[in-house]
Amino acid sequence: SSVLTLTKVVKTYGDTVALNSVDLRLPNDSYVSLLGPSGSGKTTLLRVIAGFELPESGSIHFLGKDVGTAPPHERDIGFVFQNFALFPHMTVRDNIGFGLVNRLNNPVTDTNVAQRKVREIIALVGLTGLEDRAVTQISGGQKQRVALARTLITEPKMVLLDEPLGALDANLRSRMRTELKAIRERCGVTFLHVTGSETEALAMGDIVLVLDDKRIVQQGDADMIYNQP
Ligand code: ADP
Ligand code: ADP
């Protein structure tokens, strides 16, 4: 079944068309790469899905519900930023717990439950033992895991990642590819990963979407993308 469906979504900024009638359908529980050159509309597409921007026309259904006009916090969609956006004065644990404490209408009020959830998420992303480190004292790969954990702790039904490996050096980037795939498999939600790198998109995506000139021009698994003219 599909987690997200976009139908004929159009987004413009003044005279600039940023998304030109985008149709897409994302299955549950999968790793999806969104590949496209600079200026093709990747970031705009993520922002429209997240609810940071409203499209001019078209519809967006998330888990069967029309979210066209729903505010971002009603979407259950997590967002991981390229620069990680961590709080530098806080520890790993507090950065991760912040997502939970700060969440609107969160039913988790019991501190013990909250602490257990933080521990579980720390184990899930592979940060056990580093809980008390300041985030200024950990590596780039570890910061990436903190950013992901902070999103996952709110239990999103889908996670959007905007060039998540862009801030890492080449060595670490290839290790984190494998790590991100493994983390996604453990939590079972759909990841939509934006990248300008064909190698990265094809290596990581169960499904690859190709965006060109503000519309989706190809959609399929890596084999299919390779074999299409
Ligand atoms: P990508 O992420 O693939 O580089 P974007 O989604 O950032 O592409 O941009 C798609 C198009 O929309 C580009 O032509 C870009 O210049 C334009 N655009 C994006 N954001 C804005 C904005 N805030 N104001 C005006 N034009 C924008
Ligand atoms: P990872 O692959 O998990 O990012 P690295 O191989 O980059 O790990 O780093 C190994 C160890 O070196 C880490 O456990 C981390 O504590 C330490 N380290 C790496 N980079 C930094 C840094 N910029 N500041 C402080 N410690 C660092």
Side-chain angles (χ1 to χ4, degrees), residues 47-210:
R47 293 179 60 79
V48 163
I49 293 170
F52 302 153
E53 312 265 9
L54 286 181
E56 269 76 43
S57 60
S59 68
I60 303 176
H61 284 79
F62 185 63
L63 296 170
K65 226 175 81 179
D66 189 338
V67 295
T69 54
H73 69 265
E74 284 177 21
R75 295 195 180 191
D76 272 343
I77 296 176
F79 207 102
V80 177
F81 298 94
Q82 177 173 352
N83 62 5
F84 311 137
L86 304 180
F87 301 112
H89 60 289
M90 288 189 193
T91 62
V92 165
R93 180 191 286 110
D94 291 346
N95 264 278
I96 295 169
F98 189 83
L100 201 55
V101 172
N102 202 38
R103 207 180 178 208
L104 293 172
N105 306 322
N106 198 294
V108 182
T109 47
D110 181 337
T111 321
N112 290 328
V113 175
Q115 283 174 351
R116 183 166 40 100
K117 277 198 72 173
V118 171
R119 274 200 304 276
E120 281 170 8
I121 285 287
I122 283 175
L124 183 113
V125 300
L127 285 170
T128 304
L130 294 173
E131 294 84 349
D132 296 318
R133 290 269 190 105
V135 293
T136 48
Q137 301 301 313
I138 60 176
S139 69
Q142 291 161 346
K143 283 178 188 156
Q144 167 98 76
R145 289 167 217 244
V146 174
L148 202 56
R150 198 173 54 177
T151 298
L152 293 177
I153 201 160
T154 65
E155 298 182 358
K157 301 295 191 308
M158 177 174 175
V159 178
L160 309 176
L161 306 101
D162 194 2
E163 307 245 11
L165 307 180
L168 308 176
D169 67 45
N171 230 330
L172 190 53
R173 200 177 301 142
S174 75
R175 265 192 297 151
M176 282 310 292
R177 276 187 200 159
T178 315
E179 273 299 310
L180 275 183
K181 293 252 324 171
I183 290 168
R184 194 215 68 76
E185 269 161 36
R186 290 200 285 273
C187 64
V189 301
T190 292
F191 276 23
L192 178 60
H193 171 137
V194 161
T195 178
S197 157
E198 187 175 335
T199 316
E200 191 171 299
L202 293 171
M204 296 189 69
D206 305 321
I207 295 173
V208 181
L209 307 176
V210 183

Side-chain angles (χ1 to χ4, degrees), residues 11-14 16-19 36-45 47 53 162-163 194 211 214:
K11 175 71 196 165
T12 58
Y13 296 103
T16 308
V17 177
L19 297 176
S38 178
S40 58
K42 302 184 298 297
T43 303
T44 305
L45 184 55
R47 293 179 60 79
E53 312 265 9
D162 194 2
E163 307 245 11
V194 161
L211 197 58
K214 292 103 181 184

